[in-house]
Amino acid sequence: MTVILGVETSCDETAASVVVDGREIRSNVVASQVDLHAQYGGVFPELASRAHSESIYLVIGEALHRAGISLQEIDAIAVTQGPGLAGSLVVGVNMAKGLALGSELPLIGINHLEGHIYSLWLSPPEYSFLPDPIEAVKRWVAIEFPVIVLIVSGGHTELLLMTGHGEYKRLGGTIDDAAGEAFDKVGRLLGLPYPGGPSIQKAAEAGNPQAFELPRVWLRGDHGETNYDFSFSGLKTAVLRTLQNLDPTYKPDTPLHPDIPVADLAASFQAAVVEVLVGKTIRAAEEFDATEILIAGGVSANAALRAAMIERAKRPVRVPPLNLCTDNAAMIAAAGYYRYVTGERSNLEFDVLPSWPLT
Ligand code: KG4
Ligand code: ZN
């Protein structure tokens, strides 16, 4: 039995978790700062690092307490080293270093994106293609590579080919806004509460996804073929133009004219994002003959994205449970487990890596 304590402070959630053998969550504590940042319509970096400082000690103590485990029973500490906000990362990393030093435990610095991927190993997936739960668990335990991974979060949109544990080839990613960032920015344009992702999903439930024709940006490579990169900033501008056409007096961050069809706009925007994400992911899965499609990161909570991927993919689609889509430390502990068992250890002199690519 290998017990890993995970610590995550890359953005606006202070999180700690105890995970056994990379799969079994014994505790998963997340102190969210969403309310703190909502008034700014986005994460305010200095406030984020100060809030991490205030809560990190309590959050780690609570994670150990809820797991009923002492530091002496932990095998290693896994901490997010990057990418993320430097001032936020430093709080978790320094706390983890102090704990590792004081308790003589090994420490492993984890890439936050790899953490999102390993959120998919934390609970048996519910596969649309494998209704038999025993088959699903078998596949969960012994996944067959290669798989295609789509990471869609507030900071990243990455399409990867995963050929083994810790082995990734980057196929493409966003060239401007991340998918979650686009949801957040459009949510703000539509006067919806922060964060925009869940607000847009909720508003879209009452809307018509075909009400507005918004652009699908497929991007072409040198030879005219569609590539695996994404671009969402034009879509955001298209929503802004549509708002301005509907109401020439429209100004962002001021109350919307009551006649603006917010639900239709939200549904049309969501459909445009989902169509491109699903189209490119499925094409990659076909090209590389993937056994499964894995989706992770905050936007993988999106119901329209999940439904469209499951409906269109001719292979199993793995999605995390909703509480593991957004930032948490269980995923960091799970990723830490796979690195720990291969003998990987970090020394205590590493720095945070705010823009650490996964590949
Ligand atoms: O993974 P995450 O917690 O943080 C980063 O690593 O960035 O992702 C947060 C992002 C936010 O942009 C939020 O709007 C988006 O995930 N999000 C969603 C949904 N829930 C969270 N986007 C679309 N639909 C959702 N249901
Ligand atoms: Zn994240």
Side-chain angles (χ1 to χ4, degrees), residues 10-147:
S10 69
C11 191
D12 59 346
E13 324 276 8
T14 316
S17 167
V18 175
V19 171
V20 174
D21 293 337
R23 292 178 198 277
E24 188 194 324
I25 299 176
R26 289 286 171 93
S27 65
N28 184 22
V29 180
V30 182
S32 174
Q33 303 174 7
V34 163
D35 294 344
L36 178 67
H37 301 292
Q39 55 187 310
Y40 305 102
V43 179
F44 194 128
E46 190 186 319
L47 287 185
S49 46
R50 292 167 71 168
H52 286 308
S53 270
E54 276 176 5
S55 43
I56 185 76
Y57 173 73
L58 290 173
V59 166
I60 291 179
E62 184 67 15
L64 291 170
H65 173 73
R66 285 193 200 171
I69 260 173
S70 69
L71 260 187
Q72 289 70 40
E73 293 165 275
I74 300 277
D75 291 290
I77 302 171
V79 62
T80 308
Q81 187 178 357
L85 299 168
S88 290
L89 289 163
V90 159
V91 177
V93 162
N94 280 351
M95 185 68 173
K97 283 184 181 180
L99 277 178
L101 188 65
S103 54
E104 294 183 5
L105 283 172
L107 182 65
I108 306 166
I110 296 294
N111 185 302
H112 180 81
L113 299 175
E114 182 164 80
H116 275 299
I117 295 172
Y118 278 90
S119 67
L120 290 152
W121 269 264
L122 283 166
S123 65
E126 286 173 32
Y127 292 119
S128 51
F129 277 73
L130 287 174
D132 176 0
I134 299 195
E135 278 305 308
V137 169
K138 273 192 203 153
R139 189 187 271 266
W140 174 49
V141 174
I143 186 170
E144 276 172 37
F145 293 103
V147 296

Side-chain angles (χ1 to χ4, degrees), residues 150-313:
L150 174 68
I151 304 177
V152 269
S153 71
H156 295 88
T157 301
E158 298 274 307
L159 194 58
L160 307 163
L161 176 68
M162 186 176 182
T163 49
H165 285 293
E167 289 169 21
Y168 314 100
K169 179 171 183 271
R170 184 177 190 272
L171 303 176
T174 184
I175 58 166
D176 42 53
D177 292 349
E181 193 180 354
F183 269 96
D184 293 340
K185 287 179 176 170
V186 168
R188 188 166 172 172
L189 290 178
L190 295 177
L192 297 170
Y194 172 84
S199 303
I200 286 183
Q201 174 175 323
K202 194 157 184 287
E205 282 166 16
N208 172 8
Q210 274 134 28
F212 293 94
E213 232 174 83
L214 295 172
R216 273 74 167 149
V217 179
W218 292 102
L219 297 173
R220 305 262 160 210
D222 293 342
H223 306 289
E225 76 289 1
T226 312
N227 64 21
Y228 289 123
D229 283 331
F230 300 91
S231 166
F232 295 112
S233 80
L235 179 56
K236 173 195 67 196
T237 311
V239 173
L240 176 61
R241 296 267 174 279
T242 309
L243 282 163
Q244 288 166 334
N245 286 340
L246 288 165
D247 172 14
T249 67
Y250 169 82
K251 276 196 193 66
D253 298 325
T254 52
L256 249 60
H257 191 283
D259 292 344
I260 297 278
V262 173
D264 284 348
L265 274 165
S268 302
F269 162 79
Q270 181 174 264
V273 175
V274 165
E275 189 177 323
V276 178
L277 289 175
V278 170
K280 294 208 176 200
T281 305
I282 289 182
R283 198 163 62 78
E286 281 163 5
E287 180 177 341
F288 296 98
D289 199 17
T291 58
E292 296 186 22
I293 289 172
L294 277 55
I295 326 174
V299 182
S300 69
N302 188 269
L305 173 64
R306 288 170 174 232
M309 195 75 86
I310 288 168
E311 191 191 319
R312 290 192 41 204

